[in-house]
Amino acid sequence: MFRTEKKKYIITMLLISVACVFLFAGCQSGGAEDLYLSKVSYVVCPVDGQDIDMYVVSSDCSVIHYMIKETENLEIKELFEGKLPEGGFSSERQQITEQDWEKLQSIVNETEFIYLPAEVSDPEQAADSGSSYIEIKTDMIKHLAGGHNAGFGRDKANKKYRSVVEVLDAALNK
């Protein structure tokens, strides 16, 4: 009878140990599925009165760079809807490498960009600094984040946003 109790105890402890291993292994993976991007749009507004740069990067590694003249009635968020000012822009095409696209996709997943707040700003910086915005798109979702001095704050959202900006800037400025 003592041996039966001891066997039950050992088997129970083994089952609990195995369950804990699976539980902790599952927690380390983050639990979220990776996003597969179809397009990333990146708008940089240096300072009032200067031209705006918009980069549209597609999953085929093609990039359209729009140089947009600053106008008073230009709403930045309309640019993400494809509403460019008539006659107030020029464009050029370029390419990024597949490795750069993979890095971009990886950092978007690593930073969990989809969960960043829409407004990622740092109000403590100088008022005359610029702003930037990033919109990611997949087959099913899109998410826009950014704002005045986005990426320059010390909080987690700004640091995550900055990580994505650094990868984008590195890919676009080669």
Side-chain angles (χ1 to χ4, degrees):
M1 193 147 114
F2 179 72
R3 287 184 179 190
T4 306
E5 292 293 321
K6 191 174 182 181
K7 285 181 183 178
K8 285 182 184 178
Y9 177 78
I10 291 172
I11 291 171
T12 302
M13 293 308 288
L14 282 172
L15 289 174
I16 290 172
S17 299
V18 169
C20 287
V21 167
F22 282 113
L23 177 69
F24 291 122
C27 289
Q28 290 176 352
S29 68
E33 284 189 37
D34 285 346
L35 297 175
Y36 296 99
L37 303 175
S38 58
K39 182 166 59 168
V40 176
S41 300
Y42 175 43
V43 172
V44 180
C45 311
V47 181
D48 290 341
Q50 291 186 353
D51 291 347
I52 296 168
D53 288 304
M54 179 175 186
Y55 301 89
V56 179
V57 186
S58 299
S59 60
D60 65 357
C61 299
S62 65
V63 179
I64 303 175
H65 176 197
Y66 296 97
M67 288 81 55
I68 303 163
K69 300 287 181 205
E70 173 65 40
T71 61
E72 288 183 22
N73 57 356
L74 179 66
E75 288 290 326
I76 298 300
K77 296 192 180 185
E78 288 181 354
L79 296 175
F80 293 99
E81 298 168 3
K83 298 177 183 173
L84 297 169
E86 286 187 36
F89 72 94
S90 60
S91 65
E92 64 184 20
R93 295 189 179 276
Q94 59 190 76
Q95 289 284 126
I96 62 170
T97 66
E98 285 187 39
Q99 293 84 1
D100 287 333
W101 177 257
E102 289 170 8
K103 281 183 194 174
L104 179 58
Q105 190 156 277
S106 177
I107 196 71
V108 164
N109 285 308
E110 183 181 309
T111 61
E112 297 180 326
F113 188 89
I114 196 75
Y115 299 115
L116 286 180
E119 185 66 30
V120 180
S121 296
D122 185 20
E124 295 178 14
Q125 295 291 328
D128 63 347
S129 295
S131 58
S132 69
Y133 300 87
I134 299 171
E135 181 183 71
I136 62 168
K137 284 188 182 183
T138 69
D139 291 339
M140 297 175 38
I141 57 172
K142 68 180 181 175
H143 180 66
L144 176 66
H148 185 70
N149 292 316
F152 292 101
R154 295 182 184 180
D155 62 320
K156 282 185 180 181
N158 271 280
K159 289 177 182 177
K160 289 180 177 186
Y161 183 88
R162 186 77 199 147
S163 296
V164 176
V165 166
E166 288 171 351
V167 170
L168 270 167
D169 284 342
L172 294 169
N173 295 317
K174 283 188 174 180

